[in-house]
């Protein structure tokens, strides 16, 4: 039985997709498909998007246990591999959720994700947030868990030791962090036996995080950018009146008009050229194919890149209020804006 060549549906050869070289030497595709469907997309629809995106040439899929769709995605990945894409050609990430930071929970949670995804190993496993602060799905941003706590480095490192054990036992190939800050990462880099291979962080033209971006790259950590087009599908609880929309920025619109592409594709092209790995989510085939095609087509000009660099508004969209640990706090307390870790 013969199979169509990978990417035949859209004419995009996965070999043309840029790669990031991790400090281990492993190549990671420089664009992935996110799988967080927010409140709007069902697990079945996301699994269909994974199937379609793999057919379109995607090889990098960013998953997480808390998204509630890994079992559906697992069946899609099984079909992708049975359809002729070697497991070694795929890059699959999952994440440890906040209520699983206890030492006895880390390995079990990873094994559950592996079972759900129908995989023998993960290419990357991340600590989703540095706070072990659980909140129920759909809660208001004012919710505070009874056991919520600040970032306590000794506690985080107990979790990280079990993450390292996952690498040492072969269940995962790489481990990484997510939603971290420079002062937190400095402590992790000081104390880790196996350092993070990536840091996943919000990155888009209106939130470029230059200090954190440059820090992780200087440490040999690859920045993975979530919400790369400004997370238009994020839950209503994460929206505030001060939020801006990068895909409606005049600079982005002008470049998109000149190139005859959607403004979202401009954001994706900028992300890859800047040096981060965007993980846009869409269940719409025309959208995820356009994003991938934008990455393998003619690059933005130096003038374009300079113009986009100048529109940073320091506008964080995913503020994380539900991870705060006491009343009367501002979401900025999660992000160490003073340059020091916010005390308990």
């Amino acid at each position: 039985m013969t199979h169509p060549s990978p990417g035949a549906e859209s004419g995009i050869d996965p070999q043309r997709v840029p790669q990031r070289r991790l400090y281990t030497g492993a190549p990671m595709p420089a664009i992935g498909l996110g799988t967080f469907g927010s409140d709007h997309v069902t697990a079945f629809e996301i699994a269909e998007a994974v199937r379609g995106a793999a057919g379109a040439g995607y090889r990098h899929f960013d998953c997480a246990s808390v998204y509630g769709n890994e079992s559906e995605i697992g069946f899609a990945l099984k079909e992708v591999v049975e359809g002729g894409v070697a497991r070694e050609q795929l890059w699959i990430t999952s994440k440890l959720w906040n209520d699983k930071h206890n030492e006895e929970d880390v390995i079990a949670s990873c094994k559950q994700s592996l079972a759900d995804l129908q995989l023998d190993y993960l290419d990357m496993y991340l600590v989703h947030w540095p706070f072990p602060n659980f909140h129920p799905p759909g809660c208001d941003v004012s919710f505070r868990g009874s056991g919520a706590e600040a970032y306590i480095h000794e506690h985080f490192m107990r979790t990280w030791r079990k993450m390292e054990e996952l690498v040492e036992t072969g269940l995962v190939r790489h481990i990484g962090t997510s939603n971290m800050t420079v002062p937190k990462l400095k402590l992790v880099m000081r104390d880790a036996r196996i350092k993070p291979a990536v840091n996943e962080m919000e990155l888009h033209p209106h939130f470029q995080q230059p200090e954190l971006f440059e820090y992780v790259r200087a440490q040999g950590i690859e920045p993975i950018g979530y919400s790369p087009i400004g997370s238009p599908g994020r839950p209503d609880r994460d929206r505030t009146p001060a939020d801006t929309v990068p895909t409606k920025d005049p600079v982005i619109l002008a470049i998109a008009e000149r190139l005859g592409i959607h403004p979202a594709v401009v954001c994706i092209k900028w992300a890859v050229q800047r040096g981060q790995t965007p993980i846009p989510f869409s269940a719409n085939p025309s959208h995820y194919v356009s994003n991938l095609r934008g990455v393998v087509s003619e690059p933005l000009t130096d003038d374009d890149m300079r113009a986009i660099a100048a529109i940073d508004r320091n506008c964080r969209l995913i503020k994380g209020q539900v991870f705060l640990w006491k009343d009367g706090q501002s979401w900025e307390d999660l992000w160490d804006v003073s340059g020091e870790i916010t005390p308990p």
Side-chain angles (χ1 to χ4, degrees):
M1 178 179 177
T2 60
H3 298 283
S5 60
E9 293 90 337
S10 63
I12 300 170
D13 182 354
Q15 298 296 320
R16 294 177 58 203
V17 176
Q19 303 280 315
R20 306 295 185 209
R21 188 70 58 175
L22 302 185
Y23 74 78
T24 62
M28 177 182 73
I31 180 174
L33 185 78
T35 61
F36 175 48
S38 186
D39 299 331
H40 313 297
V41 187
T42 67
F44 174 79
E45 291 170 316
I46 290 169
E48 285 296 303
V50 168
R51 289 187 187 90
Y58 281 82
R59 295 294 178 263
H60 181 167
F61 298 94
D62 184 270
C63 308
S65 59
V66 75
Y67 299 163
N69 53 28
E70 287 191 326
S71 59
E72 290 82 359
I73 290 171
F75 285 103
L77 293 175
K78 185 173 185 285
E79 290 182 20
V80 168
V81 172
E82 289 177 347
V85 177
R87 168 65 183 96
E88 294 72 26
Q89 294 175 350
L90 296 172
W91 184 276
I92 311 297
T93 293
S94 187
K95 309 182 190 79
L96 180 77
W97 189 236
N98 304 27
D99 60 344
K100 302 297 183 183
H101 280 213
N102 289 336
E103 292 170 277
E104 63 270 20
D105 294 330
V106 176
I107 292 175
S109 184
C110 180
K111 286 182 175 179
Q112 184 63 57
S113 283
L114 285 168
D116 288 342
L117 292 167
Q118 302 190 41
L119 300 173
D120 295 325
Y121 68 91
L122 289 167
D123 299 277
M124 182 71 68
Y125 197 51
L126 308 180
V127 181
H128 206 146
W129 287 80
F131 309 97
N133 299 347
F134 178 76
H135 64 284
C139 68
D140 185 80
V141 293
S142 63
F143 178 85
R144 300 290 176 268
S146 60
E149 64 178 33
Y151 178 83
I152 299 173
H153 183 62
E154 293 76 12
H155 295 181
F156 185 85
M157 286 309 299
R158 287 201 287 266
T159 304
W160 192 256
R161 293 294 177 228
K162 304 306 285 188
M163 297 285 286
E164 292 171 328
E165 190 175 324
L166 290 170
V167 177
E168 292 161 350
T169 57
L171 291 176
V172 307
R173 299 286 172 86
H174 304 84
I175 51 178
T177 53
S178 181
N179 295 301
M180 290 290 267
T181 62
V182 171
K184 293 185 182 81
L185 278 171
K186 284 181 176 177
L187 294 180
V188 174
M189 294 297 288
R190 181 193 71 189
D191 295 338
R193 289 199 310 269
I194 300 175
K195 75 177 186 178
V198 306
N199 182 63
E200 193 162 302
M201 52 204 274
E202 181 179 338
L203 288 170
H204 50 78
H206 281 182
F207 193 61
Q208 300 183 23
Q209 299 216 67
E211 181 188 11
L212 180 56
F213 178 78
E214 294 301 338
Y215 174 78
V216 298
R217 296 185 79 198
Q219 298 299 316
I221 301 170
E222 287 296 325
I224 295 181
Y226 68 74
S227 302
I229 64 172
S231 193
R234 68 189 182 281
D236 289 342
R237 64 179 177 272
D238 287 331
R239 299 175 187 270
T240 66
D243 294 348
T244 62
V245 183
T247 53
K248 294 183 179 179
D249 190 288
V251 168
I252 300 295
L253 291 172
I255 296 171
E257 183 175 6
R258 189 188 84 235
L259 298 178
I261 58 178
H262 193 281
V265 179
V266 175
C267 295
I268 300 301
K269 290 169 75 70
W270 166 81
V272 173
Q273 285 180 233
R274 185 188 184 218
Q276 62 224 38
T277 297
I279 46 169
F281 168 72
S282 178
N284 184 320
S286 67
H287 292 171
Y288 59 67
V289 169
S290 294
N291 289 337
L292 190 64
R293 184 172 290 124
V295 168
V296 301
S297 61
E298 187 173 350
L300 300 175
T301 66
D302 291 344
D303 286 345
D304 290 336
M305 294 299 289
R306 281 190 290 268
I308 296 174
I311 63 172
D312 188 3
R313 297 189 183 185
N314 194 33
C315 179
R316 185 186 293 277
L317 299 174
I318 309 302
K319 299 172 180 65
Q321 295 98 323
V322 290
F323 304 117
L324 291 167
W325 55 92
K326 58 186 178 182
D327 292 333
Q329 287 184 298
S330 165
W331 60 263
E332 287 91 348
D333 289 332
L334 297 168
W335 304 105
D336 307 334
V337 294
S338 70
E340 297 182 358
I341 295 173
T342 302

